[in-house]
Amino acid sequence: MRIHRLPEELASKIAAGEVIERPVSVVKELIENAIDAGARRIDVAIDQGGRRLIRVEDDGCGIRADEVELAFARHATSKLSSVDQLYEIRTLGFRGEALASIAAVSHVTLSTKTSDEEAGIRIRLEGGVPQLVEPVGRPTGTMVTVEHLFYNTPPRLKFLRTDATESGHIARLVSAYALAFPQLRFSLMHHERLVTRTTGTGALYDALLAIYGLDVADEMLEVPREEGQRLRVWGYVSSPAVHRSTRQEITLLVNRRWIQDNSLSYAITQAYQSLLPQRRHPIVVLHIELPPRDVDVNVHPTKQEVRFQHPSEVFSAVQRAVRTTLMGQSSVPIISRVDGSYGSRMAPSREGERSSALLLPEEGRVGDAPRRMWEPGDSNEETVGGERLPMLRVIGQLAQTYVLAEGPGGLYLIDQHAAHERIRYEELSNQVGRAAVVSQELLEPRVIDLSPRHAELVEEHLEDLAKVGMEVSPFGSGSFLVRSVPQHLVGGDVAAALAEMVEAAEEGGAAFSWVDQALITLSCHTAVRAGQTLSFDEMRDLVRSLERCELPHTCPHGRPTLLRMTRQQLEREFGRL
Ligand code: ADP
Ligand code: MG
């Protein structure tokens, strides 16, 4: 379609707004234009966090020489012509505003050539005013150079953060588009240093690998694409072994458009419930595909938020996809030897804390991984995945803390407390789910005194407490009468358990319900401790119950319940291989 000005009544239906807030907004608009132009290669270069220079070059269809000036006019677009199309948008851009807005606050040079024209054309504007239009020799495609951003709007300039922050935003954006379009080759240079490069093979995994490096890519679980559905959710989610301190590595792509959606991020975090340590977040790349008519992209000036026709359907599809993947694939972490000491792949201090690849790494990422003597999952037979544990044979107890067992995957070390917590937690949540909590009436009601803060929390949640089997009633001035407690708490420190339950439940992240959080604390209180000697029968019971758990690999706080050393590892260490 030729570029044309949108008629007034159509232009007025478009969610308008100032779209250029900072350098990353410019990069976003230029990348979207390149993608809409059918580019297969998109190269981005920035200098000084984008404030001095932003250059985006593509090999797309180019702009006809007689249309370049029009392309910079407000509401001039080749992507939309009728109001009806506005409800079924298939391009990333549609407002015809970006080039005009960028040109208004910078010096822009655009060189372009279409495939059926002999020569290309170059146009240069300052503050939106054309300075020069001249023919230029160049290959098919478009290169836009934006210099001195916000030179004529000093307040905007003052609002910008450090170069590192601005370029961090840009790197994040390029990564997100690379994940959205794995079939395109992206590169990002900052100060002539390569930050990101993807290969454009079309496989999402390859894009993940290029962006996050091998260590993280290795830990990603595939959410398969289900053909034939109207609503499809697919991509990759991190195994519980990898996590981050923020939600920023949750990339949501709706019909390949990168969006922010708090309720969907929440759905994902919730799916990780009891698998991650508190306040830690997964790395997730999810494509959500649905008919364009079922999603309104014309609600936000920078198009970063969308409105779904059926939000709850999308919410549950996302949650189901993530949960199913996690339950089906999480496996027992293999002990690996790192720099002479033994660490597990589950240890958050290694993988979890590694700086994000998106923060402009100084060096290559693959080379700086700690050296591993033992590679995880050496051979396929040895990789024991699946939601349940295999049958394990108890060998004995170590340091009154770990149960040693033998299984098809080699030697298993089970943390008796963490494992018991998991068992208790599932038992209790099942009971709560069926409204069949096994609680025991105390022979004599107990009076307990709580601090004012705890007393207040208990009073607010009397009903929730009843749900988990604690029948408590106020007894005046910070005292409470406890009539019944969950079965396993009989004989335990009821006052301490109660105080800790309400405290933890109150502080628990948004991903956990109050009752769930209370159950986690309760599980901890009723589980065997480290340092407790267990008989063989007790160990066998523990292992049998763990085998029956739905998510046996982590305790409800997200720590591993067991580690494994493969036979191959042992053979290699003993020099048998
Ligand atoms: P929109 O993308 O909403 O249409 P823009 O202001 O971003 O508005 O761009 C205006 C028009 O200029 C586009 O509709 C497109 O026809 C043309 N254009 C912009 N960038 C490119 C590019 N990189 N390659 C080809 N055409 C482009
Ligand atoms: Mg555009």
Side-chain angles (χ1 to χ4, degrees):
M1 197 193 303
R2 302 287 295 263
I3 302 180
H4 57 275
R5 269 177 223 269
L6 291 176
E8 195 55 46
E9 36 92 40
L10 176 49
S12 64
K13 287 204 166 51
I14 289 175
E18 200 53 78
V19 289
I20 307 303
E21 287 171 344
R22 56 203 316 174
V24 68
S25 340
V26 173
V27 181
K28 175 175 192 287
E29 296 298 334
L30 296 180
I31 288 183
E32 292 192 351
N33 280 347
I35 294 171
D36 284 344
R40 280 155 304 153
R41 185 180 57 83
I42 300 172
D43 296 311
V44 183
I46 58 171
D47 207 357
Q48 287 177 15
R51 76 186 78 201
R52 205 190 70 68
L53 174 104
I54 293 169
R55 171 175 293 146
V56 176
E57 181 165 18
D58 68 60
D59 60 355
C61 66
I63 304 175
R64 289 168 50 112
D66 58 355
E67 291 183 348
V68 276
E69 276 192 74
L70 187 55
F72 283 92
R74 247 178 225 287
H75 298 309
T77 180
S78 58
K79 302 171 192 173
L80 192 63
S81 56
S82 69
V83 173
D84 206 33
Q85 285 176 335
L86 199 50
Y87 303 106
E88 205 166 333
I89 287 167
R90 291 168 192 274
T91 48
L92 293 170
F94 53 88
R95 297 190 174 126
E97 282 193 317
L99 288 183
S101 307
I102 295 167
V105 292
S106 67
H107 296 180
V108 176
T109 310
L110 180 148
S111 314
T112 185
K113 190 183 93 63
T114 60
S115 62
D116 27 311
E117 283 173 309
E118 286 284 298
I121 188 130
R122 173 158 64 199
I123 179 169
R124 189 175 155 73
L125 305 92
E126 285 180 17
V129 183
Q131 307 290 313
L132 156 118
V133 186
E134 60 180 12
V136 68
R138 59 154 292 122
T140 299
T142 305
M143 179 167 84
V144 184
T145 308
V146 177
E147 288 164 292
H148 311 299
L149 185 62
F150 301 142
Y151 78 102
N152 53 358
T153 53
R156 221 26 99 64
L157 206 52
K158 264 213 321 251
F159 169 79
L160 295 186
R161 303 293 191 77
T162 62
D163 287 1
T165 305
E166 297 301 335
S167 52
H169 286 304
I170 293 171
R172 173 78 184 99
L173 176 95
V174 172
S175 301
Y177 278 90
L179 295 166
F181 295 90
Q183 68 275 33
L184 308 186
R185 267 190 294 152
F186 284 87
S187 74
L188 170 64
M189 306 278 293
H190 187 213
H191 286 306
E192 306 193 345
R193 198 166 52 77
L194 184 68
V195 179
T196 309
R197 186 200 295 278
T198 65
T199 48
T201 60
L204 179 57
Y205 183 83
D206 292 336
L208 264 177
L209 186 64
I211 287 159
Y212 287 106
L214 187 61
D215 277 7
V216 168
D218 250 1
E219 292 287 355
M220 299 297 281
L221 309 173
E222 186 176 4
V223 180
R225 190 165 184 268
E226 276 182 44
E227 301 300 333
Q229 305 285 334
R230 194 179 56 87
L231 169 63
R232 291 179 300 270
V233 177
W234 59 280
Y236 284 88
V237 299
S238 53
S239 83
V242 181
H243 36 79
R244 295 280 188 260
S245 61
T246 72
R247 265 190 214 166
Q248 278 170 25
E249 305 304 341
I250 297 181
T251 306
L252 297 173
L253 305 160
V254 174
N255 291 343
R256 304 202 178 251
R257 188 185 294 278
W258 182 33
I259 62 139
Q260 312 292 329
D261 188 313
N262 283 337
S263 95
L264 288 183
S265 305
Y266 174 74
I268 292 168
T269 319
Q270 246 194 352
Y272 275 85
Q273 188 168 25
S274 88
L275 293 174
L276 292 184
Q278 276 195 35
R279 285 179 261 288
R280 301 293 298 181
H281 305 276
I283 300 175
V284 168
V285 179
L286 278 189
H287 279 268
I288 300 164
E289 294 174 343
L290 68 179
R293 277 199 175 262
D294 290 353
V295 46
D296 187 358
V297 297
N298 185 26
V299 292
H300 191 264
T302 62
K303 299 167 284 185
Q304 262 178 14
E305 283 164 27
V306 297
R307 195 181 295 137
F308 296 106
Q309 192 111 57
H310 311 289
S312 57
E313 184 195 10
V314 179
F315 186 97
S316 42
V318 164
Q319 203 165 47
R320 193 165 357 103
V322 177
R323 193 74 182 166
T324 312
T325 305
L326 286 173
M327 304 230 325
Q329 301 188 25
S330 67
S331 58
V332 183
I334 295 175
I335 298 177
S336 60
R337 192 154 110 180
V338 180
D339 296 338
S341 63
Y342 290 86
S344 107
R345 294 201 291 143
M346 196 67 104
S349 54
R350 259 195 66 232
E351 308 262 7
E353 298 294 346
R354 284 169 65 81
S355 68
S356 160
L358 298 170
L359 301 174
L360 301 179
E362 288 298 326
E363 300 147 38
R365 264 166 253 127
V366 179
D368 62 2
R371 198 172 66 93
R372 256 187 214 157
M373 282 278 291
W374 293 328
E375 283 306 316
D378 287 321
S379 76
N380 284 336
E381 303 95 67
E382 300 245 6
T383 310
V384 180
E387 50 193 90
R388 305 279 163 146
L389 288 185
M391 294 283 278
L392 300 176
R393 184 177 69 82
V394 172
I395 302 170
Q397 196 185 20
L398 176 72
Q400 292 172 304
T401 303
Y402 308 103
V403 176
L404 302 186
E406 184 189 2
L411 173 70
Y412 291 72
L413 290 128
I414 299 156
D415 180 316
Q416 65 193 41
H417 176 67
H420 204 201
E421 269 185 331
R422 163 55 65 187
I423 295 163
R424 283 273 190 266
Y425 173 71
E426 292 202 0
E427 183 181 303
L428 289 166
S429 10
N430 280 337
Q431 291 176 1
V432 171
R434 285 180 286 120
V437 177
V438 183
S439 78
Q440 194 160 321
E441 205 165 317
L442 298 173
L443 286 178
E444 241 175 77
R446 282 253 288 280
V447 179
I448 56 173
D449 298 311
L450 294 175
S451 71
R453 181 179 136 71
H454 290 146
E456 199 180 314
L457 291 174
V458 167
E459 248 179 272
E460 267 173 43
H461 292 282
L462 292 173
E463 265 177 48
D464 288 327
L465 285 166
K467 273 190 214 154
V468 304
M470 289 198 99
E471 211 185 306
V472 181
S473 47
F475 203 51
S477 59
S479 295
F480 291 86
L481 203 59
V482 181
R483 290 176 197 284
S484 57
V485 297
Q487 184 190 18
H488 299 295
L489 200 60
V490 178
D493 187 345
V494 177
L498 189 58
E500 257 180 64
M501 269 164 79
V502 292
E503 177 107 18
E506 205 55 27
E507 286 178 359
F512 294 90
S513 74
W514 197 97
V515 166
D516 248 316
Q517 196 66 56
L519 289 183
I520 292 175
T521 312
L522 197 56
S523 318
C524 179
H525 260 271
T526 56
V528 294
R529 308 258 139 205
Q532 226 168 298
T533 308
L534 300 182
S535 71
F536 244 90
D537 282 342
E538 285 169 327
M539 289 190 271
R540 260 198 296 269
D541 277 351
L542 184 84
V543 170
R544 290 292 159 268
S545 309
L546 189 63
E547 284 166 10
R548 280 195 295 270
C549 279
E550 215 172 331
L551 297 168
H553 304 107
T554 58
C555 81
H557 303 98
R559 286 193 305 275
T561 51
L562 74 174
L563 302 175
R564 166 166 82 94
M565 206 182 269
T566 67
R567 245 186 88 178
Q568 268 196 354
Q569 288 177 337
L570 290 170
E571 281 168 359
R572 203 174 303 156
E573 285 299 299
F574 283 114
R576 287 174 173 277
L577 271 184

